[in-house]
Amino acid sequence: MSTTDTPAPTGAAGEGAAPPVLVRRARLLGGEETDLLLAGGRVARTGPGGSLEAPDGARVVEAAGLVALPGLVDLHTHLREPGREDAETVRTGSRAAALGGFTAVHAMANTDPVADTAGVVEQVWRLGREVGLVDVRPVGAVTVGLAGERLAELGAMATSAARVRVFSDDGRCVHDPVLMRRALEYVRSVDGVVAQHAQDPRLTEGAQMHEGVVSSVLGLRGWPAVAEEAVIARDVLLADHVGSRLHVCHVSTAGSVEILRWAKARGVDVTAEVTPHHLLLTDELVRGYDPVYKVNPPLRTRADVEALREAVADGTVDVVATDHAPHPVEDKDCEWAAAAMGMTGLETALSVVQEALVETGLLGWADVARVLSSAPARIGRLEDHGRPLAEGEPAHLVLVDPAARRPVAPEQHATQGRNSPYRGMELPGRVVATVLRGRPVVLDGALVGEQPDDAHLGASRGAPHGAAGAS
Amino acid sequence: MRHLLSAADLSREGALELLDVAEEMAATQAREIKKLPTLRGRTVVNLFFEDSTRTRISFEAAAKRLSADVITFSAKGSSVSKGESLKDTALTLQAMGADAVVLRHSASGAAHRLAHAGWSGVGVLNAGDGTHEHPTQALLDAFTLRRRLAERAGGDPARVLEGARVAVVGDVLHSRVARSNVLLLETLGADVVLVAPPTLLPVGVGTWPCRTSWDLDAVLPDVDAVMVLRVQRERMGGGGFFPSAQEYTRRFGLDGRRLRLLPDHALVMHPGPMNRGLEISAEAADSPRSTIVEQVANGVAVRMAALYLLLAGEDAA
Ligand SMILES: [Zn+2]
């Protein structure tokens, strides 16, 4: 890709001030070459490849060979701010998201303080606006302090400036059936959804990895599939009983897929997500005890991976969501039991989806747009995201080079986390450009208008990156 | 041998070599002067993050009898916490010029991490990691078993354990000894059956290279040895693995009646420390069939062999 343009105003200028952008010859959803003229934050015109003229002052993005998708929407991101700025901030997480092709992310509530009040969700939302690289939509906690004892003020969060629609105690399960029932009922009044982290706490006390053949050999305490499946089974029945909308986070087992399939066939209003890592990696990787593979829910078996891929292909699982969970190096550079759970994912999600679902023939690019953009936007009630790339629609888009292949180098990621499980793995696809509301925030695979000081923020933890930059 | 982390690290030839070296070491221990100059000038660090006086003393004696310099580091308590960083300790040991580290740790995989995380280049000998493995215990058990069975039947020492029938009884779920023994005995050609209540067999045990049974009485008449495992009540926080100590003893304890179900030549083994009256009765533990005291003595010879192959193996070969 190359770009030519007249110098454009950057920085805090309003979206209306962004100059028009002409994207030329992008393959829309992997189909025909199309020109897209973006102006005023919207898709102003579309036409066959090479048919549109660039207006005066427009930036031209040559996109021959690139696939255009609507900007990606992540339903499950841990931005860590407030409280764990040593792991990630809204700024570094937004940078990672933009570089990964996302134009909106849902920031999980398990911060410190917990996002369980209007004040905290508005703080996160404002930080996201200040950074301005992606739309940061805070998730509100279901219960006060994630303690699972009483409902947080869901209404106040919903009517705050942050307009929260997704509520989750993620990291913990809303285990008390009465509390879960009340939450499901209550969020109906704000058109919200409860996103459940399905994990029976008693069945997973001290659990370290998937319970099965590998855990038996490694002597690590098991996290049985049934601990997830039993909660999902209960919750779909509860949602059915009270007529509520339920979303299931990071589904990880073949059994969960079966329950969801049954629930959807029965007409239950349930949606579900799967993480990229559960679509690609298995518990066999734990054999070396490297905590980069420690995650919750844990990596499962090859049979689970296959079932999850099929479930995305047939729509049983609606969404791929990253569960991006950055951790400082010291929280992973230790023995398995002492290590934190979680993996980074924003900057590798699209590549993993291409590897696991596109290259296997299970999804086309239009399906990728569905599972990574339109479905998560609909579940999160983000009206102006996940829209078709058509005239009059909001100009959020990502341009992907599907022919690129490159090894994953976590040191070069913009997230502060270095805990990528794909280190050294060669993955297909590269995000070339990300456009938010008509404004390119990523071009040529790099953040636009990057100041050295900004770059320092993201690279400060990776000495090798700094060394490479000096050469 | 670069590290000894799991019994699965040993090939049949490697395991037999180690047992043969241990026989030679044992022979030197019968002499008046027990000390050998083999590891003079080498430093062995015993790094014990979990209390185990027996294993620590055994490794100390083994290293000292090979004339190694021995440094013992015992961290109080066994909890996994950020205060006791395995990594920082590894870096310290590297700086101190350790040639080998004997590691005991409450976390499964701790020895793997110490060997492979890139923190140091020191050879690592796993002296028990969580509920994972304890390879030198399996080696000393195999050593003891091989000696006793050879005394009775004679024959090629390399083949004595082929087809030997061994029952491993009790708390398999929490036992690093059981995991290492299943792997090593399989390597050496023995036929292993695990006997335990279903709650104390891990999910996935069906893929292990052994059989399982819930019926101790049915198994005992057909074995050459019975290894009784310690019931690790300290790892049974949630409880409920069996209804009561009395019921456990009735169904899975090795008592006098069950002792008489064994063939005449069969051995009674236990890795210690024993819960007398729970998994094993005094009559069984102290019977002439019991090798429990002998196992402790053999432990030193086997650990001498392991340290020798870890540190001097290349020079000797
Ligand atoms: Zn979660």
Side-chain angles (χ1 to χ4, degrees), chain B residues 87-146:
Chain B
K87 180 186 179 180
D88 288 335
T89 311
L91 295 174
T92 307
L93 299 176
Q94 176 91 330
M96 284 164 56
D99 295 296
V101 174
V102 175
L103 178 69
R104 172 75 151 229
H105 202 287
S106 59
S108 297
H112 268 84
R113 287 296 280 164
L114 189 61
H116 295 304
W119 302 330
S120 83
V122 176
V124 177
L125 208 159
N126 182 6
D129 61 326
T131 55
H132 176 224
E133 284 210 44
H134 193 358
T136 58
Q137 178 69 44
L139 284 161
L140 76 87
D141 290 341
F143 180 92
T144 305
L145 195 57
R146 185 170 85 148

Short mmCIF file of all heavy atoms in Angstrom, two decimals, chain B residues 87-146:
data_model
loop_
_atom_site.label_atom_id
_atom_site.label_comp_id
_atom_site.label_asym_id
_atom_site.label_seq_id
_atom_site.Cartn_x
_atom_site.Cartn_y
_atom_site.Cartn_z
N LYS B 87 13.18 -17.61 40.21
CA LYS B 87 14.09 -17.03 39.24
C LYS B 87 15.26 -16.33 39.92
O LYS B 87 16.42 -16.53 39.54
CB LYS B 87 13.32 -16.04 38.37
CG LYS B 87 14.19 -15.39 37.32
CD LYS B 87 13.43 -14.32 36.56
CE LYS B 87 14.35 -13.68 35.54
NZ LYS B 87 13.67 -12.63 34.77
N ASP B 88 14.96 -15.51 40.92
CA ASP B 88 16.03 -14.78 41.59
C ASP B 88 17.00 -15.74 42.27
O ASP B 88 18.21 -15.54 42.27
CB ASP B 88 15.45 -13.79 42.61
CG ASP B 88 14.79 -12.61 41.92
OD1 ASP B 88 15.17 -12.32 40.77
OD2 ASP B 88 13.89 -12.01 42.51
N THR B 89 16.46 -16.79 42.85
CA THR B 89 17.31 -17.78 43.49
C THR B 89 18.22 -18.45 42.45
O THR B 89 19.41 -18.66 42.68
CB THR B 89 16.46 -18.83 44.21
OG1 THR B 89 15.50 -18.15 45.02
CG2 THR B 89 17.32 -19.70 45.09
N ALA B 90 17.63 -18.72 41.28
CA ALA B 90 18.42 -19.35 40.21
C ALA B 90 19.57 -18.45 39.78
O ALA B 90 20.70 -18.91 39.57
CB ALA B 90 17.51 -19.66 39.01
N LEU B 91 19.29 -17.17 39.68
CA LEU B 91 20.34 -16.23 39.26
C LEU B 91 21.44 -16.16 40.32
O LEU B 91 22.63 -16.09 40.00
CB LEU B 91 19.73 -14.84 39.04
CG LEU B 91 18.71 -14.76 37.88
CD1 LEU B 91 18.06 -13.38 37.82
CD2 LEU B 91 19.36 -15.08 36.55
N THR B 92 21.04 -16.20 41.58
CA THR B 92 22.02 -16.18 42.67
C THR B 92 22.92 -17.41 42.60
O THR B 92 24.14 -17.31 42.73
CB THR B 92 21.28 -16.14 44.03
OG1 THR B 92 20.37 -15.05 44.00
CG2 THR B 92 22.26 -15.99 45.17
N LEU B 93 22.29 -18.56 42.37
CA LEU B 93 23.06 -19.80 42.34
C LEU B 93 24.04 -19.80 41.18
O LEU B 93 25.19 -20.25 41.31
CB LEU B 93 22.11 -20.99 42.18
CG LEU B 93 21.11 -21.16 43.31
CD1 LEU B 93 20.17 -22.30 43.00
CD2 LEU B 93 21.85 -21.43 44.60
N GLN B 94 23.58 -19.27 40.04
CA GLN B 94 24.45 -19.18 38.88
C GLN B 94 25.68 -18.34 39.24
O GLN B 94 26.81 -18.72 38.95
CB GLN B 94 23.66 -18.53 37.73
CG GLN B 94 24.47 -18.29 36.49
CD GLN B 94 24.38 -19.49 35.55
OE1 GLN B 94 24.23 -20.63 35.99
NE2 GLN B 94 24.51 -19.24 34.27
N ALA B 95 25.41 -17.22 39.89
CA ALA B 95 26.51 -16.31 40.26
C ALA B 95 27.46 -16.98 41.25
O ALA B 95 28.66 -16.70 41.27
CB ALA B 95 25.93 -15.03 40.85
N MET B 96 26.92 -17.88 42.07
CA MET B 96 27.76 -18.55 43.06
C MET B 96 28.55 -19.70 42.46
O MET B 96 29.35 -20.33 43.14
CB MET B 96 26.88 -19.10 44.20
CG MET B 96 26.41 -18.02 45.16
SD MET B 96 25.03 -18.61 46.18
CE MET B 96 25.79 -20.05 46.90
N GLY B 97 28.33 -19.99 41.20
CA GLY B 97 29.11 -21.03 40.53
C GLY B 97 28.62 -22.43 40.78
O GLY B 97 29.41 -23.38 40.76
N ALA B 98 27.31 -22.59 41.00
CA ALA B 98 26.77 -23.93 41.20
C ALA B 98 26.91 -24.76 39.92
O ALA B 98 26.74 -24.25 38.82
CB ALA B 98 25.29 -23.84 41.58
N ASP B 99 27.28 -26.02 40.06
CA ASP B 99 27.39 -26.92 38.91
C ASP B 99 26.11 -27.72 38.71
O ASP B 99 25.80 -28.15 37.61
CB ASP B 99 28.56 -27.87 39.09
CG ASP B 99 29.88 -27.12 39.11
OD1 ASP B 99 30.22 -26.53 38.07
OD2 ASP B 99 30.55 -27.10 40.15
N ALA B 100 25.40 -27.95 39.79
CA ALA B 100 24.13 -28.68 39.70
C ALA B 100 23.23 -28.20 40.82
O ALA B 100 23.69 -27.84 41.90
CB ALA B 100 24.34 -30.18 39.83
N VAL B 101 21.94 -28.20 40.55
CA VAL B 101 20.95 -27.83 41.55
C VAL B 101 20.02 -29.01 41.76
O VAL B 101 19.50 -29.57 40.80
CB VAL B 101 20.13 -26.60 41.12
CG1 VAL B 101 19.01 -26.32 42.11
CG2 VAL B 101 21.03 -25.38 40.99
N VAL B 102 19.86 -29.37 43.02
CA VAL B 102 18.86 -30.37 43.39
C VAL B 102 17.67 -29.59 43.90
O VAL B 102 17.77 -28.89 44.91
CB VAL B 102 19.41 -31.30 44.49
CG1 VAL B 102 18.32 -32.25 44.97
CG2 VAL B 102 20.63 -32.06 43.98
N LEU B 103 16.55 -29.65 43.19
CA LEU B 103 15.41 -28.79 43.53
C LEU B 103 14.23 -29.57 44.06
O LEU B 103 13.75 -30.51 43.42
CB LEU B 103 14.97 -27.99 42.30
CG LEU B 103 13.75 -27.07 42.54
CD1 LEU B 103 14.11 -25.90 43.45
CD2 LEU B 103 13.18 -26.55 41.21
N ARG B 104 13.76 -29.12 45.22
CA ARG B 104 12.49 -29.61 45.76
C ARG B 104 11.56 -28.41 45.84
O ARG B 104 11.96 -27.37 46.37
CB ARG B 104 12.74 -30.17 47.16
CG ARG B 104 11.48 -30.51 47.90
CD ARG B 104 10.85 -31.80 47.38
NE ARG B 104 10.12 -32.47 48.42
CZ ARG B 104 10.23 -33.76 48.71
NH1 ARG B 104 11.06 -34.52 48.03
NH2 ARG B 104 9.54 -34.29 49.67
N HIS B 105 10.38 -28.53 45.27
CA HIS B 105 9.49 -27.37 45.20
C HIS B 105 8.05 -27.83 45.26
O HIS B 105 7.72 -28.91 44.77
CB HIS B 105 9.75 -26.60 43.90
CG HIS B 105 9.31 -25.17 43.93
ND1 HIS B 105 7.99 -24.80 43.88
CD2 HIS B 105 10.03 -24.01 44.00
CE1 HIS B 105 7.91 -23.47 43.92
NE2 HIS B 105 9.13 -22.97 43.99
N SER B 106 7.19 -26.99 45.83
CA SER B 106 5.78 -27.36 45.96
C SER B 106 5.01 -27.22 44.65
O SER B 106 3.90 -27.72 44.54
CB SER B 106 5.11 -26.50 47.03
OG SER B 106 5.23 -25.13 46.66
N ALA B 107 5.59 -26.54 43.66
CA ALA B 107 4.87 -26.32 42.40
C ALA B 107 5.26 -27.37 41.37
O ALA B 107 6.44 -27.53 41.06
CB ALA B 107 5.17 -24.92 41.86
N SER B 108 4.27 -28.05 40.81
CA SER B 108 4.54 -28.97 39.70
C SER B 108 5.21 -28.19 38.57
O SER B 108 4.78 -27.10 38.23
CB SER B 108 3.23 -29.57 39.20
OG SER B 108 2.60 -30.34 40.19
N GLY B 109 6.27 -28.77 38.02
CA GLY B 109 6.95 -28.12 36.90
C GLY B 109 8.04 -27.15 37.30
O GLY B 109 8.71 -26.58 36.44
N ALA B 110 8.25 -26.95 38.61
CA ALA B 110 9.27 -25.99 39.03
C ALA B 110 10.65 -26.38 38.49
O ALA B 110 11.42 -25.52 38.05
CB ALA B 110 9.30 -25.89 40.56
N ALA B 111 10.96 -27.67 38.50
CA ALA B 111 12.28 -28.10 38.00
C ALA B 111 12.39 -27.86 36.49
O ALA B 111 13.45 -27.47 36.00
CB ALA B 111 12.50 -29.59 38.33
N HIS B 112 11.30 -28.09 35.77
CA HIS B 112 11.29 -27.79 34.33
C HIS B 112 11.60 -26.32 34.10
O HIS B 112 12.36 -25.96 33.20
CB HIS B 112 9.91 -28.10 33.72
CG HIS B 112 9.79 -29.48 33.17
ND1 HIS B 112 9.48 -30.55 33.95
CD2 HIS B 112 9.94 -29.95 31.92
CE1 HIS B 112 9.42 -31.63 33.21
NE2 HIS B 112 9.71 -31.30 31.96
N ARG B 113 10.96 -25.46 34.87
CA ARG B 113 11.16 -24.03 34.69
C ARG B 113 12.61 -23.66 34.99
O ARG B 113 13.23 -22.90 34.25
CB ARG B 113 10.22 -23.23 35.59
CG ARG B 113 8.80 -23.25 35.14
CD ARG B 113 8.62 -22.56 33.78
NE ARG B 113 8.57 -21.11 33.88
CZ ARG B 113 8.73 -20.29 32.83
NH1 ARG B 113 9.00 -20.78 31.65
NH2 ARG B 113 8.64 -19.01 32.99
N LEU B 114 13.13 -24.20 36.08
CA LEU B 114 14.51 -23.87 36.44
C LEU B 114 15.47 -24.33 35.34
O LEU B 114 16.44 -23.66 35.03
CB LEU B 114 14.86 -24.55 37.78
CG LEU B 114 16.19 -24.16 38.41
CD1 LEU B 114 16.22 -22.66 38.73
CD2 LEU B 114 16.41 -24.95 39.70
N ALA B 115 15.15 -25.46 34.73
CA ALA B 115 16.05 -25.99 33.70
C ALA B 115 15.89 -25.27 32.36
O ALA B 115 16.85 -25.10 31.63
CB ALA B 115 15.77 -27.49 33.50
N HIS B 116 14.66 -24.83 32.04
CA HIS B 116 14.39 -24.40 30.67
C HIS B 116 13.92 -22.97 30.49
O HIS B 116 13.67 -22.54 29.37
CB HIS B 116 13.34 -25.33 30.04
CG HIS B 116 13.83 -26.75 29.88
ND1 HIS B 116 14.97 -27.07 29.20
CD2 HIS B 116 13.33 -27.92 30.34
CE1 HIS B 116 15.15 -28.38 29.23
NE2 HIS B 116 14.17 -28.92 29.92
N ALA B 117 13.80 -22.20 31.56
CA ALA B 117 13.27 -20.84 31.40
C ALA B 117 14.32 -19.86 30.92
O ALA B 117 14.03 -18.70 30.67
CB ALA B 117 12.66 -20.35 32.72
N GLY B 118 15.57 -20.33 30.81
CA GLY B 118 16.61 -19.42 30.36
C GLY B 118 17.20 -18.57 31.48
O GLY B 118 17.90 -17.60 31.22
N TRP B 119 16.90 -18.94 32.74
CA TRP B 119 17.41 -18.15 33.86
C TRP B 119 18.87 -18.49 34.15
O TRP B 119 19.62 -17.66 34.64
CB TRP B 119 16.58 -18.41 35.13
CG TRP B 119 15.12 -18.10 34.98
CD1 TRP B 119 14.56 -17.15 34.15
CD2 TRP B 119 14.03 -18.72 35.66
NE1 TRP B 119 13.20 -17.15 34.30
CE2 TRP B 119 12.84 -18.10 35.22
CE3 TRP B 119 13.94 -19.74 36.62
CZ2 TRP B 119 11.59 -18.47 35.69
CZ3 TRP B 119 12.70 -20.09 37.08
CH2 TRP B 119 11.53 -19.47 36.63
N SER B 120 19.25 -19.75 33.94
CA SER B 120 20.62 -20.17 34.25
C SER B 120 20.93 -21.42 33.44
O SER B 120 20.04 -22.05 32.88
CB SER B 120 20.78 -20.46 35.74
OG SER B 120 20.35 -21.78 36.03
N GLY B 121 22.20 -21.76 33.37
CA GLY B 121 22.59 -22.93 32.60
C GLY B 121 22.93 -24.13 33.45
O GLY B 121 23.55 -25.08 32.99
N VAL B 122 22.53 -24.09 34.71
CA VAL B 122 22.92 -25.13 35.65
C VAL B 122 22.11 -26.41 35.42
O VAL B 122 20.93 -26.35 35.07
CB VAL B 122 22.69 -24.61 37.09
CG1 VAL B 122 22.98 -25.69 38.12
CG2 VAL B 122 23.56 -23.40 37.35
N GLY B 123 22.75 -27.56 35.60
CA GLY B 123 22.05 -28.83 35.52
C GLY B 123 21.08 -28.95 36.69
O GLY B 123 21.40 -28.57 37.81
N VAL B 124 19.89 -29.48 36.41
CA VAL B 124 18.85 -29.54 37.43
C VAL B 124 18.44 -30.99 37.68
O VAL B 124 18.21 -31.75 36.74
CB VAL B 124 17.61 -28.72 37.01
CG1 VAL B 124 16.50 -28.85 38.05
CG2 VAL B 124 17.97 -27.26 36.80
N LEU B 125 18.38 -31.33 38.94
CA LEU B 125 17.92 -32.64 39.35
C LEU B 125 16.63 -32.45 40.15
O LEU B 125 16.64 -31.78 41.18
CB LEU B 125 19.01 -33.31 40.20
CG LEU B 125 19.05 -34.82 40.18
CD1 LEU B 125 20.42 -35.31 40.60
CD2 LEU B 125 18.00 -35.38 41.09
N ASN B 126 15.56 -33.00 39.67
CA ASN B 126 14.26 -32.83 40.30
C ASN B 126 14.15 -33.75 41.53
O ASN B 126 14.13 -34.96 41.39
CB ASN B 126 13.16 -33.15 39.28
CG ASN B 126 11.77 -32.95 39.84
OD1 ASN B 126 11.61 -32.46 40.96
ND2 ASN B 126 10.76 -33.31 39.07
N ALA B 127 14.07 -33.11 42.69
CA ALA B 127 13.93 -33.89 43.93
C ALA B 127 12.49 -33.84 44.44
O ALA B 127 12.25 -33.91 45.64
CB ALA B 127 14.89 -33.35 44.99
N GLY B 128 11.56 -33.70 43.50
CA GLY B 128 10.14 -33.66 43.87
C GLY B 128 9.55 -32.31 43.55
O GLY B 128 9.96 -31.31 44.14
N ASP B 129 8.62 -32.27 42.57
CA ASP B 129 7.97 -31.00 42.23
C ASP B 129 6.46 -31.17 42.32
O ASP B 129 5.82 -31.78 41.48
CB ASP B 129 8.40 -30.52 40.83
CG ASP B 129 8.04 -31.48 39.69
OD1 ASP B 129 8.05 -32.71 39.92
OD2 ASP B 129 7.73 -31.00 38.59
N GLY B 130 5.90 -30.60 43.37
CA GLY B 130 4.45 -30.62 43.55
C GLY B 130 3.90 -32.02 43.48
O GLY B 130 4.40 -32.94 44.14
N THR B 131 2.87 -32.20 42.66
CA THR B 131 2.27 -33.52 42.47
C THR B 131 2.68 -34.10 41.12
O THR B 131 1.97 -34.92 40.55
CB THR B 131 0.73 -33.44 42.56
OG1 THR B 131 0.27 -32.47 41.62
CG2 THR B 131 0.29 -33.00 43.94
N HIS B 132 3.85 -33.66 40.64
CA HIS B 132 4.29 -34.11 39.32
C HIS B 132 5.17 -35.35 39.41
O HIS B 132 4.72 -36.45 39.19
CB HIS B 132 4.99 -32.95 38.61
CG HIS B 132 5.57 -33.31 37.28
ND1 HIS B 132 6.83 -32.91 36.89
CD2 HIS B 132 5.06 -34.03 36.27
CE1 HIS B 132 7.05 -33.37 35.67
NE2 HIS B 132 6.01 -34.05 35.28
N GLU B 133 6.45 -35.16 39.75
CA GLU B 133 7.36 -36.31 39.72
C GLU B 133 8.43 -36.25 40.81
O GLU B 133 8.71 -35.19 41.38
CB GLU B 133 8.04 -36.42 38.35
CG GLU B 133 7.08 -36.99 37.30
CD GLU B 133 7.82 -37.76 36.22
OE1 GLU B 133 8.72 -38.55 36.54
OE2 GLU B 133 7.46 -37.54 35.04
N HIS B 134 9.05 -37.37 41.01
CA HIS B 134 10.13 -37.52 41.98
C HIS B 134 11.02 -38.65 41.43
O HIS B 134 11.00 -39.77 41.95
CB HIS B 134 9.54 -37.87 43.35
CG HIS B 134 10.50 -37.74 44.48
ND1 HIS B 134 11.82 -37.37 44.33
CD2 HIS B 134 10.32 -37.91 45.82
CE1 HIS B 134 12.41 -37.35 45.51
NE2 HIS B 134 11.52 -37.67 46.43
N PRO B 135 11.77 -38.37 40.37
CA PRO B 135 12.44 -39.47 39.64
C PRO B 135 13.44 -40.26 40.46
O PRO B 135 13.55 -41.48 40.27
CB PRO B 135 13.10 -38.75 38.46
CG PRO B 135 13.05 -37.30 38.74
CD PRO B 135 11.92 -37.07 39.67
N THR B 136 14.18 -39.62 41.39
CA THR B 136 15.15 -40.44 42.13
C THR B 136 14.46 -41.39 43.11
O THR B 136 15.02 -42.45 43.44
CB THR B 136 16.18 -39.57 42.89
OG1 THR B 136 15.52 -38.69 43.80
CG2 THR B 136 17.05 -38.77 41.92
N GLN B 137 13.24 -41.04 43.53
CA GLN B 137 12.50 -42.00 44.37
C GLN B 137 12.14 -43.23 43.54
O GLN B 137 12.27 -44.36 44.01
CB GLN B 137 11.23 -41.34 44.92
CG GLN B 137 10.36 -42.27 45.76
CD GLN B 137 11.00 -42.65 47.09
OE1 GLN B 137 11.55 -41.80 47.78
NE2 GLN B 137 10.95 -43.94 47.45
N ALA B 138 11.70 -42.99 42.32
CA ALA B 138 11.37 -44.13 41.46
C ALA B 138 12.61 -44.97 41.18
O ALA B 138 12.56 -46.20 41.15
CB ALA B 138 10.75 -43.65 40.15
N LEU B 139 13.73 -44.30 41.00
CA LEU B 139 14.98 -45.03 40.73
C LEU B 139 15.40 -45.88 41.93
O LEU B 139 15.85 -47.02 41.78
CB LEU B 139 16.09 -44.04 40.34
CG LEU B 139 15.97 -43.50 38.91
CD1 LEU B 139 16.79 -42.21 38.74
CD2 LEU B 139 16.43 -44.55 37.89
N LEU B 140 15.25 -45.32 43.12
CA LEU B 140 15.66 -46.11 44.28
C LEU B 140 14.67 -47.25 44.54
O LEU B 140 15.07 -48.33 45.00
CB LEU B 140 15.86 -45.22 45.51
CG LEU B 140 14.67 -44.68 46.29
CD1 LEU B 140 14.20 -45.66 47.35
CD2 LEU B 140 15.05 -43.37 46.96
N ASP B 141 13.41 -47.03 44.19
CA ASP B 141 12.44 -48.12 44.30
C ASP B 141 12.79 -49.24 43.31
O ASP B 141 12.78 -50.42 43.65
CB ASP B 141 11.02 -47.61 44.02
CG ASP B 141 10.50 -46.70 45.14
OD1 ASP B 141 11.06 -46.75 46.25
OD2 ASP B 141 9.55 -45.94 44.89
N ALA B 142 13.12 -48.84 42.08
CA ALA B 142 13.49 -49.84 41.06
C ALA B 142 14.77 -50.56 41.46
O ALA B 142 14.91 -51.77 41.27
CB ALA B 142 13.66 -49.16 39.70
N PHE B 143 15.70 -49.79 42.02
CA PHE B 143 16.96 -50.38 42.47
C PHE B 143 16.70 -51.44 43.53
O PHE B 143 17.24 -52.56 43.48
CB PHE B 143 17.84 -49.25 43.03
CG PHE B 143 19.18 -49.68 43.55
CD1 PHE B 143 20.29 -49.67 42.72
CD2 PHE B 143 19.34 -50.06 44.87
CE1 PHE B 143 21.54 -50.05 43.20
CE2 PHE B 143 20.58 -50.46 45.36
CZ PHE B 143 21.68 -50.44 44.51
N THR B 144 15.88 -51.09 44.51
CA THR B 144 15.57 -52.00 45.62
C THR B 144 14.85 -53.26 45.10
O THR B 144 15.21 -54.39 45.46
CB THR B 144 14.67 -51.26 46.64
OG1 THR B 144 15.33 -50.06 47.03
CG2 THR B 144 14.40 -52.13 47.85
N LEU B 145 13.89 -53.01 44.24
CA LEU B 145 13.11 -54.11 43.68
C LEU B 145 14.01 -55.05 42.86
O LEU B 145 13.93 -56.28 42.98
CB LEU B 145 12.02 -53.50 42.79
CG LEU B 145 10.85 -54.32 42.34
CD1 LEU B 145 10.10 -54.90 43.53
CD2 LEU B 145 9.88 -53.43 41.53
N ARG B 146 14.86 -54.47 42.06
CA ARG B 146 15.73 -55.27 41.19
C ARG B 146 16.67 -56.14 42.02
O ARG B 146 16.85 -57.33 41.75
CB ARG B 146 16.52 -54.34 40.27
CG ARG B 146 17.36 -55.08 39.25
CD ARG B 146 17.94 -54.14 38.22
NE ARG B 146 19.19 -53.54 38.66
CZ ARG B 146 20.19 -53.22 37.83
NH1 ARG B 146 20.07 -53.40 36.54
NH2 ARG B 146 21.28 -52.67 38.30
#
